[in-house]
Amino acid sequence: RHHDDHIALVPTMGSLHNGHLSLVNLAREHAERVIVSIFVNPTQFGDGEDFDEYPRTLDRDTRRLKNTPADAIFAPDVDTMYPFGLDMATRVSVPGLTENFCGASRPGHFDGVTTVVCKLFCIVQPDCAIFGEKDFQQLVAIRQMVSDLNFDLKIVGMPIYREEDGLAMSSRNRYLTSDERKAALCIIKSLKRAKALFDTGEREGKKITGEVKSGIEAEPLSRIDYIKICDAGDIQDIDQITQRAVLAVAVNVGKARLIDNV
Ligand code: AMP
């Protein structure tokens, strides 16, 4: 590579789907060189979560990346990333922004995310890094980390990439049986109804989340973790939508914990 080529990093946990590939394609627009990292990071999984079952498909991922313009894959093993073990390793945490939403349901999760992303930034030294808006709280936390730790790189967000029927693409979708896959559509259907309500002028948070709640509760295979509206900048709950806001949900369907937002 030329010494003045820019590098864009796309951090992933592998089991690549078209959502990931949309990030790779966006990365290509931002830099001459694109590096995709693939690492199922143990420090971001809690006890009882799916670290062991999480799909690991490096051969298949490598083949998929041959058809998209990635220049290199960085796929370290756990010992390479945490040579002295997990417990004694330095942690990077972004308080505040990570307490609500998924942070409340998954204690320690975001510390694991910001720690590993910080390490990836130090190793790869990219000029820019791409993250999906599906994990919008992660995106906000990483922007904060980059600002707080004075990383000299640009963070770019990518809109949610969906299946044709609207389900947000996720590596965890493969946990769904065919009945659960159908049931999971209650998420996007309810979010769309909420968006329509908002578009007619509704600004009362409870009315909007109530619409989502009844839609998801009507599906017997789903169990709601949370349905919340927050300020898009500081991730604090809001009652009235008077600013840029995110409506986010986490719903368990079968073995899969699915998140989505508008
Ligand atoms: P993961 O492999 O699930 O950790 O995701 C790696 C990156 O891809 C993260 O920045 C995610 O936000 C992003 N991502 C995952 N699924 C999607 C999707 N359906 N649309 C857009 N970005 C996504």
Side-chain angles (χ1 to χ4, degrees):
R1 86 181 178 101
H2 297 292
H3 62 89
D4 52 355
D5 276 358
H6 296 98
I7 295 178
L9 172 67
V10 181
T12 80
M13 298 204 299
S15 185
L16 300 180
H17 50 66
N18 289 344
H20 292 120
L21 300 185
S22 72
L23 270 65
V24 177
N25 286 318
L26 182 62
R28 176 50 89 216
E29 292 174 25
H30 285 268
E32 292 83 15
R33 297 292 169 203
V34 175
I35 298 183
V36 177
S37 66
I38 297 180
F39 180 59
V40 184
N41 172 38
T43 63
Q44 72 189 69
F45 288 80
D47 289 341
E49 290 189 357
D50 57 345
F51 176 70
D52 290 331
E53 299 105 280
Y54 199 87
R56 289 160 174 86
T57 58
L58 188 57
D59 288 345
R60 191 176 153 275
D61 292 348
T62 308
R63 281 199 300 278
R64 291 210 75 176
L65 286 173
K66 286 223 171 90
N67 306 323
T68 33
D71 294 289
I73 299 171
F74 177 55
D77 55 27
V78 173
D79 288 342
T80 304
M81 291 299 275
Y82 301 104
F84 306 106
L86 305 182
D87 296 341
M88 300 293 281
T90 299
R91 295 291 181 120
V92 177
S93 70
V94 177
L97 294 177
T98 61
E99 276 159 26
N100 205 349
F101 288 75
C102 286
S105 317
R106 306 182 68 189
H109 166 68
F110 285 113
D111 286 4
V113 170
T114 44
T115 298
V116 80
V117 170
C118 180
K119 287 169 68 66
L120 290 168
F121 287 172
C122 292
I123 295 165
V124 176
Q125 303 193 12
D127 300 282
C128 119
I130 321 285
F131 291 87
E133 289 174 359
K134 182 164 96 73
D135 302 87
F136 84 98
Q137 190 175 13
Q138 166 174 290
L139 175 58
V140 173
I142 284 164
R143 284 191 199 281
Q144 186 69 43
M145 176 186 80
V146 163
S147 163
D148 289 343
L149 298 184
N150 309 92
F151 276 105
D152 184 17
L153 68 97
K154 188 169 140 194
I155 300 296
V156 178
M158 174 74 200
I160 302 178
Y161 197 91
R162 298 178 180 281
E163 301 282 358
E164 234 157 68
D165 61 8
L167 182 67
M169 287 203 181
S170 163
S171 304
R172 291 188 167 98
N173 290 349
R174 64 170 61 193
Y175 297 156
L176 301 169
T177 64
S178 65
D179 282 348
E180 289 163 356
R181 173 68 182 73
K182 281 180 209 131
L185 283 181
C186 70
I187 299 171
I188 182 60
K189 282 188 187 148
S190 308
L191 288 178
K192 277 190 182 151
R193 276 213 296 277
K195 176 68 168 51
L197 205 55
F198 175 84
D199 289 340
T200 62
E202 183 60 64
R203 294 293 180 269
E204 177 94 40
K206 276 216 172 70
K207 291 242 173 73
I208 295 174
T209 54
E211 182 77 16
V212 179
K213 185 165 182 280
S214 59
I216 296 178
E217 277 177 350
E219 173 47 66
L221 293 179
S222 69
R223 282 159 292 125
I224 295 168
D225 176 349
Y226 66 73
I227 300 168
K228 279 172 168 242
I229 297 176
C230 70
D231 179 290
D234 65 13
I235 319 281
Q236 298 306 305
D237 294 332
I238 52 178
D239 298 325
Q240 289 288 327
I241 305 175
T242 55
Q243 66 263 63
R244 240 174 70 81
V246 179
L247 164 62
V249 304
V251 177
N252 292 291
V253 181
K255 279 195 299 180
R257 181 175 181 280
L258 305 175
I259 59 172
D260 202 342
N261 67 77
V262 286

